[in-house]
Amino acid sequence: MRQKHTVRVLALTACVAAALAGCKQNATAPASGEAPAATAAANDDAALDKAVDAFIDGYFQHNPVFAASAGKHEYDGKLPDYSPEGLKATTDWLHAQRDAFAKFGDDKLDEQGRFRRDYALAVIDGNLFWLEDSGFAWKNPAFYTGDLSPSMYLTRPYAPLATRMDAFIRYQEALPKAVEQIKANFKLPLPASYIDLGVNSFGGYASFFESDVPKIFAEVKDDALQARLKASNAAAIKATQDMADWLKAQKPQATQDFALGAEKFAKMLHATERVDIPLDQLKAAGEADLARNLAAMKAACGQFAPGKTLQQCVEKEAADKPQGGAVEGARAQLAGLRQFIVDKDLVTIPGPEQAKVEEAPPFNRWNFAYIEIPGPYEKNLPSVYYIAPPDPTWPKAEQDAYVPGKSVLLFTSAHEVWPGHFLQFLHSNRAGWKFGQLFVGYAFAEGWAHYCEEMMFDAGLDGATPETHIGQLSEALLRDVRFLSAIGMHTGGMTMAQSEKMFREQGLQDPGNARQQAARGTYDPAYLNYTLGKLMIMQLREDWTKDKGGRKAWKQFHDQFLSYGGPPIPLVRAQMLGGAPEAKLWTAPAPAASETPPAPSSMATPASSGG
């Protein structure tokens, strides 16, 4: 689950579009004869800037892992206070911050100030939802596991290895207390999928600490540091393995009580993304996009694998594996993706940075791929695109099926690197407003990355062949089923087994991925944001470019969109089009009657899957 994100903002030619993009400008004295109202607004804007700076400082103190990941290394080695008292202190602080920002009225701020205030309020509301309303602090390991990741100290060369070793030791020294606090917070019984996540995550930490950590720091020739590492590593292995064992022991009493319920789910959407679309309309939009992509898959498969079922067609694509495996295959793809962006002039590439590709560490393999990007306070450091190997406990056939075909991997690489997450952060690393560099919404980041997949195919990636289209559509169907599973499992009574079936039959996923994705939906209800964000971006692009040349304005649209940091997309829509923030989802034009595909008979939609 992505509760907290680091993000950055693009500065459009030295803050040319500052009022829209939120680029920070120096406060100046009011001009002679300036109206009193304008002077008051300027004063309130300056006060808002101070409030934002104070919020960032306070947020770092309450969330030291977030701070260290952003590049504030005075917070290295620290973990949050996960005790009930610590969580309450953070919650109380957020409420006080919300009250302070809400006092900045529309009449006392200019356009830029109102945007910044609303952006800050959205970040606060999102944090408060996960802390208070979700209940995740008391049952969901995903609430904590992101904070516990030590990857920053091990893979990010922000300092000499000995310095990072010292930070890592301090992290490990703090870990047993943090794990005990987490264990004490959990209110039994726990949902089965949450237990499995915790067992895999904490067990993965223990395995990683034991097998990999000593080798990583072996070259540091400092006896005192090595002695401290040996002690901290032993304690960390014990703490995390004990936690995994304790969670595993709860399995006989496990429940299926993971659903947020319709009321909390709707609140999540508004608090985190400023989306107020009724759930039945959201569900209908997801079903329409699923039908659109299934129809396109049927057409592509008719050319690529005539006479085969859709599942057989997808299996044929998946059989064309990347040479050397997924990690080597992704490495080979990145240069071509970047060159395609340049050749097609799709979006500005603002710097020379590149991303590395590595195998995901054992404690973070709950999804196939992700990318770690240095925070905005870091300079000249690499980003790492991680790819998870299949679970070695799965049957051999399922392990083989988990490794995607070259075309699916191509769009995973587009999502994670060019022009997805990595390019987004290249833009925002060059922003003028620090808040926008630090905080990004789930739908903004994942919506952009998922949008890029279809946009790249539409621009002709890899010749836009039927096989290439199958790769893009496989990713789109996966996200469509995530969208419907999130709504179904949390508001419509859909079971995890029904979700898994839907991933197999409608998402055309292999068995391992289907199980993994259905489980993720229970502890990450916001994973509908891939499709939700994509559909909001596609509608915004259509509305913004219609009087600017349509497709000819795509690059201009992309650069402008990336300039806002990472606020809820309805706030971006209001900045680009004017008016009040509004969530609008793109829907494909209806096909001619003769082209309308029949509804798949095995489709289990959230509303009908409660039994």
Side-chain angles (χ1 to χ4, degrees):
M1 186 175 60
R2 298 171 65 115
Q3 303 164 51
K4 294 173 273 190
H5 305 262
T6 54
V7 75
R8 348 281 104 125
V9 189
L10 166 190
L12 287 175
T13 55
C15 289
V16 167
L20 293 178
C23 296
K24 188 170 182 177
Q25 298 173 327
N26 293 328
T28 57
S32 177
E34 187 174 343
T39 303
N43 289 337
D44 267 38
D45 285 336
L48 179 66
D49 282 345
K50 291 182 179 179
V52 167
D53 290 342
F55 175 82
I56 291 173
D57 289 342
Y59 198 91
F60 286 166
Q61 293 170 27
H62 285 275
N63 299 276
V65 179
F66 179 93
S69 183
K72 302 291 283 185
H73 292 296
E74 59 268 37
Y75 291 93
D76 278 5
K78 297 180 180 180
L79 291 173
D81 181 358
Y82 293 131
S83 69
E85 296 77 17
L87 295 176
K88 185 178 185 302
T90 298
T91 302
D92 291 346
W93 175 79
L94 285 166
H95 276 294
Q97 291 293 306
R98 197 191 195 290
D99 291 343
F101 279 101
K103 290 177 181 177
F104 291 97
D106 284 355
D107 58 330
K108 296 181 179 179
L109 297 171
D110 63 13
E111 182 182 6
Q112 175 182 278
R114 291 191 293 274
F115 170 73
R116 290 182 175 182
R117 175 206 59 197
D118 292 346
Y119 192 167
L121 286 170
V123 168
I124 293 169
D125 286 348
N127 274 266
L128 283 171
F129 176 83
W130 297 118
L131 274 166
E132 288 189 308
D133 300 283
S134 71
F136 283 178
W138 316 116
K139 61 182 180 180
N140 191 344
F143 184 85
Y144 302 101
T145 51
D147 268 354
L148 297 182
S149 172
S151 289
M152 170 178 56
Y153 308 120
L154 308 176
T155 63
R156 190 187 301 179
Y158 64 86
L161 186 61
T163 301
R164 291 187 283 121
M165 180 178 177
D166 177 72
F168 176 79
I169 290 168
R170 286 184 279 120
Y171 150 82
Q172 281 198 321
E173 290 170 341
L175 193 58
K177 178 181 178 180
V179 171
E180 279 302 311
Q181 289 176 333
I182 295 167
K183 179 180 175 182
N185 284 345
F186 286 153
K187 300 185 184 303
L188 304 177
L190 301 176
S193 58
Y194 291 16
I195 293 173
D196 290 340
L197 172 67
V199 170
N200 290 335
S201 296
F202 287 102
Y205 281 123
S207 172
F208 181 76
F209 293 153
E210 183 172 14
S211 301
D212 294 83
V213 164
K215 292 181 285 188
I216 291 171
F217 295 114
E219 67 184 75
V220 177
K221 306 304 181 185
D222 184 318
D223 291 343
L225 273 180
Q226 291 292 352
R228 285 178 59 207
L229 177 65
K230 184 176 180 179
S232 70
N233 203 36
I237 292 167
K238 183 178 188 306
T240 50
Q241 188 59 58
D242 285 353
M243 182 63 158
D245 293 341
W246 178 81
L247 284 166
K248 191 173 184 179
Q250 310 311 314
K251 200 65 184 284
Q253 290 78 43
T255 73
Q256 295 298 321
D257 185 21
F258 53 75
L260 284 175
E263 183 177 347
K264 283 187 180 180
F265 194 86
K267 185 170 185 178
M268 175 190 76
L269 290 171
H270 179 262
T272 61
E273 303 297 344
R274 292 303 190 251
V275 170
D276 287 318
I277 299 172
L279 294 179
D280 60 339
Q281 293 181 28
L282 275 180
K283 174 175 169 289
E287 290 172 335
D289 203 56
L290 177 62
R292 171 179 78 97
N293 287 318
L294 280 170
M297 180 67 88
K298 182 178 180 180
C301 285
Q303 295 178 275
F304 179 66
K308 302 291 187 182
T309 66
L310 293 187
Q311 192 66 52
Q312 290 169 332
C313 169
V314 169
E315 288 170 358
K316 179 181 176 183
E317 182 282 325
D320 187 10
K321 303 292 186 186
Q323 186 174 359
V327 171
E328 288 300 322
R331 286 174 180 155
Q333 290 171 342
L334 295 189
L337 285 166
R338 187 186 189 281
Q339 190 60 46
F340 182 82
I341 294 167
V342 172
D343 292 344
K344 295 293 184 177
D345 201 24
L346 293 172
V347 58
T348 298
I349 298 177
E353 296 92 332
Q354 302 286 336
K356 301 188 329 184
V357 188
E358 303 289 351
E359 183 175 289
F363 57 83
N364 207 6
R365 292 178 176 176
W366 54 273
N367 202 45
F368 174 69
Y370 67 99
I371 189 167
E372 284 195 3
I373 300 171
Y377 295 97
E378 305 280 26
K379 301 296 180 188
N380 303 315
L381 295 179
S383 296
V384 183
Y385 163 26
Y386 286 107
I387 295 176
D391 189 326
T393 66
W394 293 348
K396 177 67 164 56
E398 291 188 9
Q399 292 187 50
D400 292 342
Y402 186 79
V403 178
K406 288 189 293 190
S407 292
V408 169
L409 184 63
L410 180 66
F411 288 96
T412 303
S413 297
H415 178 106
E416 300 296 343
V417 184
W418 300 114
H421 293 310
F422 180 66
L423 179 61
Q424 175 197 340
F425 293 130
L426 288 190
H427 276 271
S428 51
N429 268 339
R430 290 159 171 80
W433 192 40
K434 191 60 68 177
F435 188 92
Q437 297 176 20
L438 287 165
F439 298 100
V440 61
Y442 199 160
F444 189 99
E446 298 299 352
W448 165 259
H450 184 36
Y451 159 84
C452 286
E453 299 162 22
E454 185 164 348
M455 182 271 292
M456 289 284 275
F457 176 79
D458 288 344
L461 181 63
D462 205 28
T465 64
E467 183 175 3
T468 305
H469 203 189
I470 290 163
Q472 181 260 312
L473 290 167
S474 294
E475 297 291 87
L477 290 170
L478 168 67
R479 276 49 175 266
D480 282 332
V481 179
R482 282 181 182 172
F483 185 99
L484 292 172
S485 286
I487 297 172
M489 288 197 291
H490 288 278
T491 76
M494 178 187 276
T495 66
M496 206 167 84
Q498 288 170 321
S499 171
E500 182 180 333
K501 181 180 179 183
M502 195 177 186
F503 275 109
R504 290 283 289 131
E505 296 181 354
Q506 306 306 306
L508 305 178
Q509 297 298 305
D510 63 88
N513 252 317
R515 277 196 307 274
Q516 197 177 61
Q517 295 298 322
R520 178 178 171 183
T522 66
Y523 54 77
D524 181 10
Y527 80 160
L528 88 164
N529 279 320
Y530 292 76
T531 293
L532 180 64
K534 170 184 174 177
L535 295 179
M536 286 193 286
I537 294 169
M538 290 179 73
Q539 186 60 49
L540 177 57
R541 184 186 73 187
E542 182 174 300
D543 294 340
W544 192 83
T545 60
K546 66 183 178 184
D547 60 355
K548 298 178 178 64
R551 188 160 178 159
K552 293 179 181 178
W554 277 15
K555 181 180 183 180
Q556 186 183 0
F557 169 77
H558 294 150
D559 286 353
Q560 178 97 357
F561 180 82
L562 292 175
S563 72
Y564 292 94
I569 293 171
L571 296 186
V572 179
R573 183 178 179 86
Q575 291 296 296
M576 294 184 73
L577 298 178
E582 180 184 12
K584 292 190 70 174
L585 305 184
W586 181 84
T587 55
S594 61
E595 298 173 351
T596 303
S601 60
S602 60
M603 182 171 177
T605 62
S608 62
S609 61

